[in-house]
Amino acid sequence: MDFGIISLFDFHPGLQQEVPYYQQTLQTAKDAEALGFDSIWIGQEHFYTFGICPNPAVFLSAVARETTRLRLGTSVAVTAFDHPLRRAEDFAVLDIVSNGRLNLGLGRGAIPTHFEGFGADARESKGRYEEAIEIIRRAWTEERFSHEGQYWKFPELSVSPKPVQQPHPPIWRGTVSEEGFVKAGEEGTNAFVVPWSRGEKETQRNHAIYRELLASKGHKARTTAVYYVFLDRDHQTAVREAREHMVRYAELNNSAASRRTSDDSLRAPKSKLFELKDRLASMGDRVESVGIVGTPERAIERIKEIKEAYGDAIDELVFYPNAGARSYELGMKTMKLFAEEVMPAFKTEAKVSDAVQV
């Protein structure tokens, strides 16, 4: 199993300042590589709705200059607001400057304010998502091609530059719903597991469907699981810290979901990631069941339970070191304990660089 960190740059104005937040997150990426973590994943957010990183490719290019081994992932880059040819170009550049370390996670978008700000119709998000994935793959693998789709049309052209990884950098789908897991399983695309978004049982069921489809079609793909992790030598201290920061994170998440207008075009159909207000609101009371919380010894037990629950098919586990305005120092406490006392129980010779090219 591989391990990484993730940041959606969730921003709490009364507790954080933008420039130091960016600087600390960049330092955290450098620390992660030094501690032996395998990856960093960065989300895309806009308009102070939730987070403050509108362009993961730019930030990850800075990480690329400060690291040599860490895989650089997006969690996720949204396909609803930009031309997919530009996306293909930008992320190919990132793959080049990082010497082939890009993991591209793609999603359709869910926050109404984002669609409103860019004048995008959320009812088109699913169709644009599928079409964008097709265009990005073709841009990276075909010397010349044209496209005549529902949302984008262009004549025969050649997209430059081409990425380092061949046939192209690995792609992850933003899998939350059963529909998303089915699509990923049918085409053999890597997947995310985000248990708190739909509940552990539903996520396990959806992931089992995904694994069955992969096996039936002869595909090989990777699963990246996203969890909250809070560690301390004292179990109750870890629980207390988890409650404080997870509640703060959930409140901001729910606030982003609540900023809706009466315009139905700003509501992404069937998009459930930010619709789980009751579940998020109760996370503070369920930190030990929705996260990996406690001592390093308990973390090892919890990860073994997670692996078993998902059929031993979790290839990578990533967590938020700074969600909920957790300080750099507290985040580093968990990262160091995790790297020194938890990771050795699961590390193998397999490397994240072996990510399936799908």
Side-chain angles (χ1 to χ4, degrees), residues 83-318:
H83 198 294
L85 289 179
R86 172 51 68 91
R87 285 297 203 184
E89 293 171 334
D90 289 347
F91 284 109
V93 171
L94 175 56
D95 199 51
I96 290 172
V97 300
S98 67
N99 194 27
R101 290 187 277 148
L102 171 64
N103 288 345
L104 183 63
L106 294 171
R108 31 185 298 209
I111 297 180
T113 306
H114 293 175
F115 288 91
E116 183 177 26
F118 288 113
D121 189 336
R123 293 169 297 190
E124 299 178 351
S125 65
K126 179 181 176 182
R128 287 181 178 274
Y129 179 53
E130 298 299 338
E131 195 170 328
I133 292 175
E134 176 191 354
I135 291 171
I136 291 170
R137 279 201 179 106
R138 294 188 68 190
W140 283 347
T141 58
E142 298 182 26
E143 187 57 38
R144 298 184 64 83
F145 77 108
S146 61
H147 181 80
E148 189 78 16
Q150 182 176 356
Y151 302 104
W152 293 285
K153 298 176 176 61
F154 48 85
E156 185 176 283
L157 47 74
S158 181
V159 176
S160 65
K162 293 293 189 285
V164 172
Q165 297 178 86
Q166 296 296 319
H168 59 73
I171 295 174
W172 273 252
R173 278 181 173 265
T175 41
V176 175
S177 66
E178 178 180 337
E179 180 184 18
F181 278 102
V182 168
K183 186 68 175 180
E186 288 177 340
E187 68 180 16
T189 305
N190 304 311
F192 290 106
V193 161
V194 189
W196 52 266
S197 67
R198 297 298 280 260
E200 196 85 64
K201 294 299 182 183
E202 182 177 347
T203 304
Q204 290 168 7
R205 181 182 64 81
N206 290 342
H207 189 257
I209 294 171
Y210 168 70
R211 297 200 321 270
E212 291 170 3
L213 285 168
L214 289 176
S216 68
K217 297 183 177 295
H219 296 312
K220 292 183 179 180
R222 291 176 61 87
T223 295
T224 297
V226 182
Y227 277 84
Y228 301 95
V229 179
F230 292 83
L231 302 184
D232 193 271
R233 298 288 184 197
D234 176 70
H235 181 84
Q236 291 307 317
T237 298
V239 171
R240 184 172 62 252
E241 291 174 357
R243 284 177 178 157
E244 175 188 349
H245 295 93
M246 288 173 67
V247 165
R248 188 179 293 134
Y249 183 87
E251 289 174 347
L252 182 63
N253 207 327
N254 278 343
S255 174
S258 299
R259 297 175 192 175
R260 297 190 175 278
T261 73
S262 59
D263 187 346
D264 286 340
S265 71
L266 303 178
R267 303 169 186 255
K270 298 183 180 180
S271 180
K272 301 296 184 182
L273 184 56
F274 294 97
E275 298 291 344
L276 308 170
K277 302 178 80 171
D278 291 340
R279 181 176 290 118
L280 286 170
S282 67
M283 281 205 308
D285 300 323
R286 301 180 296 115
V287 295
E288 293 180 76
S289 62
V290 300
I292 299 170
V293 179
T295 64
E297 293 76 16
R298 175 53 190 150
I300 292 172
E301 294 173 358
R302 179 81 172 100
I303 294 171
K304 289 179 178 178
E305 294 168 0
I306 292 168
K307 284 169 59 68
E308 181 178 359
Y310 285 91
D312 200 28
I314 300 297
D315 301 286
E316 179 180 29
L317 187 147
V318 304

